[in-house]
């Protein structure tokens, strides 16, 4: 049986515009994910000090409540992994954004610790759907050779949201209270969802992987997203025959999935642990500034550093860069336990932000591009789900240490140990030789392609 014709026609400018629009949509969605992550830490001092808000709340219970959203994210990610490679990227992304927006609005209206925690869980389900779908979507729209950078752009929305939340807390917490800050998190329902319904395309690579060739080619012509790589992957047999979780746990991906999931566990334990407890820990150090400024530095450094590291990862490979940033985080966290002058302390917090939250940006990109299209949503969802276990433990560990009377140094030592584990595990992830061969063949075909050999098809087909 002859192989189907490989369409290697390209429209780089249209592809770039489409990728930029998709990146903007996903970045904005993940910005509000980061906002949700940090806004609980912003509200936490008020909730701990004032029992009239949602009732009495001690540090141990605060750690548990902080983890409820992450349990919801875990469930949402698992759900997305089960259906994402069957139902497509677009529908799940829109549903997830609408879900968490409504959840944050209702959370702002709660009056008890139980109701607050329950709505944090419900909101987390929508956030999990978005997180698990975002990487898979961007990986299928990003131009070849710049995929780590594009994933860095969209996932930098998480620390950008953290900066946004901290700044909103500094500027408006006393004026609109924590309830008003949570209502800001509902804005995507009225600002982003209508735009997604109107303009966000389905992934043509996903359509082709599902056997919907005519639709895939139509979307490819409309968006400029080439199908060559997906066709070559199918041609050379670089993808497992199964789809979804069955592909993720196939011989080709099983070991790598466990290791990649461990990376997310380490990265999100550090991300959620530091964002939940950094303001509280630094408040105990007695510095004469708002502890929220430390949260701003942590996330702003992650935003800038994560983008720079993502650009370098496209050149050097993501594994080397991730191992390096994890190691830098461990060193910075240990140095944060000493009594350095404030400017030097801000520097170490900035490095820690790059090595924790910024590293998780790299990890998301690594995972999203590691899997083939028929396993991508499930693979990213599985890794995100394992990561959420780390995210759940992060706030809890901080709460346990605080309840036991330990201070910031002990928490920073624990977090530094987690970062070192992440650095070691990164280097153990095996290379995907079949995918490397497919990418090399695509590069060779593009290099030797003559426009007159395979003319660009007209929009009429």
């Amino acid at each position: 049986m002859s192989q189907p014709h490989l369409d290697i026609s390209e429209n780089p400018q249209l592809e770039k515009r489409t990728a930029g629009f998709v990146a903007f949509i996903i970045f904005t969605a993940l910005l509000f994910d980061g906002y949700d992550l940090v806004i609980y830490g912003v509200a936490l001092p008020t909730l701990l000090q004032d029992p009239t808000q949602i009732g009495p709340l001690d540090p141990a219970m605060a750690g548990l409540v902080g983890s409820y959203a992450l349990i919801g994210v875990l469930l949402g990610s698992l759900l997305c992994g089960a259906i994402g490679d069957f139902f497509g990227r677009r529908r799940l992304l829109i549903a997830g954004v609408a879900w968490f927006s409504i959840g944050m609005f209702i959370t702002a209206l709660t009056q008890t610790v139980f109701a607050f925690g329950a709505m944090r869980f419900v909101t987390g389900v929508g956030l999990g759907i978005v997180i698990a779908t975002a990487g898979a979507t961007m990986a299928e729209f990003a131009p070849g050779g710049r995929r780590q950078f594009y994933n860095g752009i969209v996932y930098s929305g998480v620390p950008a949201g953290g900066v946004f939340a901290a700044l909103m807390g500094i500027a408006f917490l006393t004026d609109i209270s924590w309830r008003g800050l949570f209502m800001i998190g509902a804005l995507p329902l009225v600002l982003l969802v209508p735009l997604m319904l109107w303009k966000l395309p389905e992934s043509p690579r996903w359509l082709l992987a599902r056997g919907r060739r005519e639709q895939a080619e139509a979307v490819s012509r409309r968006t400029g997203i080439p199908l060559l790589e997906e066709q070559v992957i199918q041609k050379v047999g670089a993808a497992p025959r199964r789809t979804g979780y069955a592909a993720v746990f196939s011989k080709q991906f099983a070991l790598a999935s466990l290791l990649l999931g461990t990376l997310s566990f380490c990265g999100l334990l550090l991300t959620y642990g530091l964002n939940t407890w950094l303001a509280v820990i630094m408040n105990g150090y007695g510095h004469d500034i708002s502890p929220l400024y430390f949260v701003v530095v942590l996330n702003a450094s992650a935003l800038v550093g994560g983008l720079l590291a993502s650009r370098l990862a496209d050149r050097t490979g993501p594994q080397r860069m991730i191992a390096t940033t994890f190691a830098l985080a461990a060193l910075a966290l240990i140095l944060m336990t000493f009594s350095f002058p404030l400017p030097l302390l801000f520097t170490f917090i900035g490095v820690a932000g790059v090595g924790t939250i910024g590293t998780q940006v790299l990890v998301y990109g690594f995972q999203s591009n590691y899997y083939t299209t028929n396993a991508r949503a499930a693979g990213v969802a599985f890794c995100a789900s394992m990561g959420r276990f780390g995210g759940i433990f992060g706030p809890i560990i901080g709460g346990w240490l605080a309840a036991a009377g330990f201070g910031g140094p002990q928490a920073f030592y624990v977090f530094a140990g987690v970062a070192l584990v992440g650095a070691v595990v990164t280097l153990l992830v095996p290379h995907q030789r079949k995918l490397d061969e497919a990418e090399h063949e695509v590069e060779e075909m593009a290099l030797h392609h003559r426009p007159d050999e395979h003319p660009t098809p007209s929009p009429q087909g």
Side-chain angles (χ1 to χ4, degrees):
M1 181 177 178
S2 62
Q3 294 291 347
H5 166 62
L6 296 178
D7 177 14
I8 71 174
S9 60
E10 297 179 350
N11 189 335
Q13 292 304 315
L14 181 57
E15 178 189 13
K16 185 177 180 180
R17 288 198 300 271
T18 300
F21 174 76
V22 173
F24 166 76
I25 290 290
I26 299 175
F27 171 88
T28 306
L30 290 177
L31 183 144
F32 281 92
D33 172 80
Y35 182 88
D36 177 86
L37 157 66
V38 175
I39 205 64
Y40 176 66
V42 171
L44 186 55
T46 300
L47 300 179
L48 287 169
Q49 295 166 12
D50 186 358
T52 65
Q53 298 296 321
I54 58 172
L57 189 67
D58 59 39
M61 178 57 70
L64 288 173
V65 170
S67 70
Y68 290 161
L70 306 181
I71 297 173
V73 171
L74 171 63
L75 179 61
S77 297
L78 288 171
L79 175 65
C80 180
I83 65 177
D85 288 313
F86 295 93
F87 283 85
R89 317 304 189 212
R90 182 178 182 272
R91 283 182 287 183
L92 284 178
L93 200 57
I94 294 172
V97 171
W99 188 319
F100 80 68
S101 299
I102 295 170
M104 287 200 73
F105 184 83
I106 297 176
T107 302
L109 305 178
T110 58
Q111 300 293 327
T112 66
V113 172
F114 175 81
F116 181 88
M119 285 311 304
R120 293 292 292 157
F121 167 79
V122 171
T123 303
V125 175
L127 293 170
I129 293 172
V130 172
I131 290 168
T133 309
T137 304
M138 194 68 254
E140 291 165 15
F141 280 95
R146 302 193 70 192
R147 287 176 183 158
Q148 291 294 329
F149 181 61
Y150 270 84
N151 272 279
I153 290 174
V154 298
Y155 278 111
S156 68
V158 176
V163 173
F164 180 49
L167 292 176
M168 289 296 99
I170 292 170
F172 300 115
L173 179 59
T174 57
D175 295 324
I176 63 176
S177 81
W178 67 269
R179 297 184 187 277
L181 294 177
F182 269 79
M183 287 184 180
I184 290 174
L187 288 176
L189 183 65
V190 294
L191 298 180
L192 190 60
V193 169
L195 181 61
M196 297 169 76
L197 288 168
W198 177 43
K199 292 286 288 183
L200 184 66
E202 182 57 272
S203 163
R205 292 186 62 176
W206 176 80
L207 290 168
L208 185 63
R210 295 298 295 168
R212 295 157 64 175
R213 187 181 183 88
E214 290 185 3
Q215 288 178 268
E217 291 177 345
V219 176
S220 176
R221 286 191 293 268
R222 190 171 69 249
T223 61
I225 303 300
L227 296 173
L228 175 60
E229 183 175 345
E230 187 63 36
Q231 292 170 317
V232 171
I233 287 173
Q234 293 181 11
K235 172 177 172 285
V236 302
R241 293 184 178 276
R242 297 177 180 179
T243 298
Y245 283 129
V248 170
F249 295 107
S250 65
K251 182 179 179 180
Q252 181 174 340
F253 289 127
L255 174 61
S257 295
L258 293 175
L259 294 172
L260 290 169
T262 303
L263 290 185
S264 273
F265 179 92
C266 295
L268 288 178
L269 188 152
L270 295 169
T271 297
Y272 281 81
L274 284 172
N275 269 305
T276 300
W277 289 105
L278 183 62
V280 175
I281 291 173
M282 300 313 294
N283 191 45
Y285 275 46
H287 295 292
D288 193 25
I289 60 171
S290 169
L292 289 179
Y293 284 108
F294 295 105
V295 180
V296 172
V297 170
L298 182 80
N299 286 277
S301 300
L303 172 61
V304 176
L307 283 173
L308 292 175
S310 296
R311 187 60 182 264
L312 290 173
D314 277 322
R315 301 177 182 176
T316 65
Q319 285 174 272
R320 185 180 303 174
M321 189 57 57
I322 291 170
T324 300
T325 53
F326 263 137
L328 286 174
L331 178 61
L333 286 164
I334 291 172
L335 291 173
M336 284 164 59
T337 64
F338 295 94
S339 299
F340 286 107
L342 196 59
L344 203 53
L345 182 59
F346 272 125
T347 300
F348 295 143
I349 290 175
V351 175
V354 175
T356 55
I357 306 169
T359 296
Q360 186 57 31
V361 170
L362 295 173
V363 169
Y364 279 131
F366 185 27
Q367 294 164 343
S368 300
N369 291 289
Y370 192 89
Y371 294 96
T372 51
T373 302
N374 62 327
R376 186 168 285 120
V380 174
F382 171 75
C383 294
S385 299
M386 285 192 65
R388 294 305 147 173
F389 281 111
I392 291 166
F393 279 113
I396 291 175
I397 288 172
W400 284 342
L401 291 172
F406 292 110
Q410 288 76 18
F412 290 147
Y413 289 141
V414 171
F415 292 146
V418 173
L420 284 176
V421 171
V424 173
V425 172
T426 301
L427 300 175
L428 299 177
V429 179
H431 292 285
Q432 282 295 327
R433 290 185 176 85
K434 289 184 178 181
L435 284 178
D436 290 342
E437 292 172 3
E439 290 178 1
H440 179 71
E441 182 172 337
V442 170
E443 292 173 0
E444 288 292 316
M445 294 177 69
L447 183 64
H448 295 96
H449 172 55
R450 298 287 192 275
D452 56 331
E453 293 175 1
H454 298 292
T456 303
S458 68
Q460 289 78 25

